[in-house]
Amino acid sequence: MQLSIAIDMDETIADPIKKAREWYYRDYGKTFTPEELHGKTFTEAVPPEHKDKIKEYLNTPGFFRDLDVFPDAKEVLKELNQKYKLYIVSAAMEFPDSLRDKYDWLQEHFPFLTWKQFCLCGDKSIVQTDIMIDDLIRNFTFFKGKAYLYHGHHNVHIEGYERILNWEDAAKKLL
Ligand SMILES: [Mg+2]
């Protein structure tokens, strides 16, 4: 039987934080060192009075359309798609304007996937795949399958989950 796998988008295959940091630099002239982001989300790293600004970026139509793809994600997902029933699962409803952008982005970079494999949703507690890859442990709360935490600067201090460091590492563990 083919196992099923749910793969997150933001900070797992897509890089919204790189873009948010660029926009933040454009607006405030400040960059962040790896030390400043260590153990924090980007929103946690900016001064409290700028937190709404980050939300505003993410709610800007088009923001999610031209994000960078994480290295090796295209190649590895293509192979995972042969071996598993693969679904892209994103809690995209948090940013309603992102829905069309995310759909178009997926079609552009992962043309071997079909629309039936795109799950742009709200709460991920509905996910019942055998395997799940996500950078946020809150998405594993009700998950009964095998969870892999996708490594990111914001989750470095979290323990108790098997990690995937990058897509090359995912290939070693899952292919
Ligand atoms: Mg994510």
Side-chain angles (χ1 to χ4, degrees):
M1 194 193 74
Q2 219 181 9
L3 294 177
S4 56
I5 184 166
I7 299 176
D8 174 42
M9 287 182 80
D10 296 327
E11 295 183 84
T12 296
I13 59 170
D15 197 347
I17 301 308
K18 180 179 175 221
K19 186 165 177 182
R21 288 170 69 178
E22 285 166 3
W23 284 21
Y24 192 84
Y25 178 73
R26 175 198 70 195
D27 294 342
Y28 300 104
K30 168 154 176 61
T31 55
F32 290 81
T33 63
E35 292 73 37
E36 286 171 306
L37 289 168
H38 193 77
K40 290 179 190 165
T41 64
F42 185 53
T43 306
E44 286 164 352
V46 303
E49 65 270 25
H50 291 165
K51 291 193 194 311
D52 283 349
K53 193 73 183 173
I54 309 303
K55 242 184 226 162
E56 199 184 297
Y57 294 164
L58 300 173
N59 278 311
T60 304
F63 180 87
F64 289 89
R65 178 61 189 91
D66 60 354
L67 302 180
D68 283 0
V69 184
F70 272 29
D72 305 316
K74 289 183 197 183
E75 297 74 16
V76 176
L77 262 66
K78 193 168 187 180
E79 289 190 51
L80 288 171
N81 192 43
Q82 303 294 318
K83 184 171 174 182
Y84 298 92
K85 284 174 74 174
L86 187 153
Y87 300 94
I88 302 292
V89 183
S90 173
M93 287 312 301
E94 188 178 1
F95 308 108
D97 282 321
S98 75
L99 292 168
R100 181 77 214 190
D101 290 340
K102 284 181 177 243
Y103 177 83
D104 290 342
W105 186 89
L106 286 167
Q107 290 238 304
E108 179 187 347
H109 297 291
F110 301 89
F112 48 87
L113 301 177
T114 76
W115 64 269
K116 290 185 179 179
Q117 295 170 280
F118 302 162
C119 304
L120 303 181
C121 64
D123 194 311
K124 290 193 192 181
S125 62
I126 57 158
V127 177
Q128 295 184 23
T129 48
D130 298 298
I131 301 165
M132 186 173 184
I133 304 177
D134 205 296
D135 65 295
L136 294 175
I137 58 164
R138 68 166 185 242
N139 293 322
F140 298 145
T141 310
F142 299 100
F143 185 61
K144 295 183 185 73
K146 168 75 182 166
Y148 287 96
L149 182 62
Y150 195 92
H151 184 76
H153 59 78
H154 56 292
N155 65 31
V156 287
H157 297 309
I158 290 175
E159 289 174 11
Y161 291 90
E162 188 166 348
R163 274 175 195 267
I164 280 180
L165 298 176
N166 50 47
W167 284 99
E168 202 186 346
D169 186 33
K172 278 188 211 138
K173 285 174 173 145
L174 293 165
L175 287 174

